[in-house]
């Protein structure tokens, strides 16, 4: 993407007032509204390529969740941080602010933590949805070990600082081939994690640790659904995402080649093609 295109995307960032503070967001294009929800500990910039591609034929809304990117953190529960349900509630308030109610249903697109939030959004606000896209995410709750790791990070991140989080997470986020062939993607991911505040990382990690297992909910999803995974995703592996697609009635399943967890950045062309086909198919 050209420097000018990126500058244009950043310059169009707006701010909405919600009950927990403020959300910064991109709102670009016209047509079917599509909400792009980022992963942890990232921000809307992981969707740069999708914002540019999808806004040619739809209205793309891409927020920074509270504490990430340009959104302030706001209130945080000391035990459960910001839960996936609370992030979903923040998003529905953003849609209300934009006058996107049930008469203008959205396509919810979430990657990883964005997908965990999507489960809560579908559970509570299904009438607001025209479609659902889950990228590189899981329906399972954490193992005891995984949960303990998150709580340890939440306890210590203020002392460690975000650079150490970038070092810990970086190797897991991308495919080995991306490290070799796309150093700019690796550097961009690292920069985003490094500039995320320790307080936002701690709040999200507590919320992630508290998230419920949503596997038994999957057969109850009735909205048209697309499931996307990178063929080398080490965090939400293809076999797990294939099982998610199989459990959701009529869901489509797409595997993105040459990509780890960060499909939207590692192979944006393939992700954009799958998203375009799905979103355009909904309006037929
Ligand atoms: C993400 O990309 O959102 C994270 O990898 C989610 C997680 O830590 O489970």
């Amino acid at each position: 993407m050209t420097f000018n295109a990126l500058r244009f995307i950043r310059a169009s960032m707006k701010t909405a007032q919600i009950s927990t503070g403020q959300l910064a967001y991109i709102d670009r294009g016209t047509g079917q509204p599509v909400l792009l929800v980022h992963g942890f500990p990232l921000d809307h910039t992981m969707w740069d390529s999708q914002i540019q591609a999808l806004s040619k034929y739809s209205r793309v809304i891409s927020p920074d969740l509270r504490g990430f990117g340009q959104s302030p953190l706001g209130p945080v529960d000391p035990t459960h941080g910001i839960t996936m349900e609370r992030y979903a509630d923040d998003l529905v308030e953003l849609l209300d602010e934009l006058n996107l109610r049930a008469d203008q249903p959205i396509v919810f697109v979430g990657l990883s933590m964005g997908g965990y939030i999507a489960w809560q959004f579908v559970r509570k606000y299904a009438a607001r949805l025209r479609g659902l896209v889950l990228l590189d995410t899981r329906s399972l709750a954490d193992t005891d070990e995984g949960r303990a790791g998150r709580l340890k990070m939440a306890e210590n991140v203020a002392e460690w600082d975000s650079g150490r989080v970038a070092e810990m997470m970086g190797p897991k986020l991308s495919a080995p081939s991306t490290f070799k062939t796309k150093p700019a993607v690796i550097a961009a991911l690292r920069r985003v994690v490094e500039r995320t505040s320790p307080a936002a990382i701690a709040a999200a990690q507590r919320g992630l640790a508290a998230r419920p297992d949503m596997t038994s909910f999957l057969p109850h999803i009735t909205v048209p659904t697309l499931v996307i995974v990178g063929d080398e995703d080490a965090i939400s592996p293809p076999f797990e995402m294939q099982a998610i697609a199989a459990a959701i009635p009529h869901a489509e399943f797409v595997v993105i080649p040459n990509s780890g967890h960060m499909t939207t950045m590692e192979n944006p062309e393939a992700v954009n093609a799958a998203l375009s086909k799905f979103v355009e198919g909904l309006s037929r």
Side-chain angles (χ1 to χ4, degrees):
M1 196 183 308
T2 65
F3 179 69
N4 273 347
L6 277 178
R7 218 169 49 169
F8 184 78
I9 290 177
R10 300 288 172 267
S12 57
M13 200 121 207
K14 297 175 182 156
T15 305
Q17 208 63 41
I18 58 170
S19 63
T20 48
Q22 289 171 346
L23 284 186
Y25 65 99
I26 299 286
D27 185 355
R28 206 171 152 194
T30 54
Q32 168 64 54
V34 178
L35 182 70
L36 305 178
V37 183
H38 63 79
F40 166 84
L42 303 168
D43 64 15
H44 77 276
T45 58
M46 57 153 280
W47 300 108
D48 278 342
S49 174
Q50 290 69 42
I51 293 169
Q52 201 187 29
L54 271 70
S55 63
K56 292 189 179 124
Y57 59 88
S58 58
R59 178 176 177 187
V60 179
I61 298 143
S62 189
D64 286 339
L65 295 166
R66 272 199 286 135
F68 298 97
Q70 296 184 37
S71 293
L73 184 57
V76 175
D77 180 282
T79 308
H80 295 124
I82 303 180
T83 62
M84 300 305 108
E85 180 175 357
R86 185 58 251 179
Y87 286 125
D89 293 342
D90 285 355
L91 292 174
V92 95
E93 287 190 35
L94 170 63
L95 297 179
D96 286 348
E97 277 299 303
L98 299 176
N99 276 320
L100 290 170
R101 295 174 200 273
D103 57 345
Q104 274 195 78
I106 59 148
V107 179
F108 191 119
V109 183
L111 184 140
S112 200
M113 182 171 82
Y116 308 153
I117 297 167
W119 304 135
Q120 300 309 315
F121 195 98
V122 191
R123 187 176 65 76
K124 293 182 80 169
Y125 308 115
R128 314 283 290 250
L129 291 175
R130 176 75 187 89
L132 177 64
V133 184
L134 302 150
L135 298 100
D136 305 279
T137 194
R138 312 186 70 199
S139 62
L140 298 169
D142 288 330
T143 59
D144 288 347
E145 194 190 345
R147 198 171 296 118
R150 290 192 193 280
L151 296 177
K152 182 171 172 202
M153 187 185 285
E155 285 297 309
N156 294 294
V157 62
E159 198 186 309
W160 291 351
D161 104 324
S162 308
R164 175 146 165 204
V165 175
E167 260 156 48
M168 288 166 77
M169 292 198 66
K172 291 185 226 155
L173 289 176
S174 306
S177 56
T178 305
F179 280 88
K180 284 200 202 103
T181 59
K182 296 187 172 164
V185 166
I186 303 297
L189 276 166
R190 189 184 172 92
R191 269 197 308 276
V192 177
V193 181
E194 281 174 347
R195 65 175 182 240
T196 303
S197 77
I201 290 174
Q205 280 292 41
R206 290 203 166 89
L208 288 161
R211 77 185 195 283
D213 192 317
M214 295 301 287
T215 309
S216 63
F217 176 70
L218 304 179
H220 302 286
I221 297 176
T222 52
V223 69
T225 300
L226 169 65
V227 176
I228 295 178
V229 67
D231 61 349
E232 296 180 67
D233 187 338
I235 296 176
S236 37
F239 76 88
E240 215 177 289
M241 292 223 69
Q242 188 163 22
I244 290 176
I248 299 174
H250 314 296
E252 292 171 45
F253 181 56
V254 173
V255 178
I256 302 295
N258 309 317
S259 183
H261 191 57
M262 295 308 302
T263 42
T264 59
M265 297 171 74
E266 295 184 67
N267 192 343
E269 298 80 15
V271 170
N272 295 350
L275 281 175
S276 298
K277 187 164 167 258
F278 180 74
V279 174
E280 287 178 331
L282 292 173
S283 43
R284 265 180 229 126

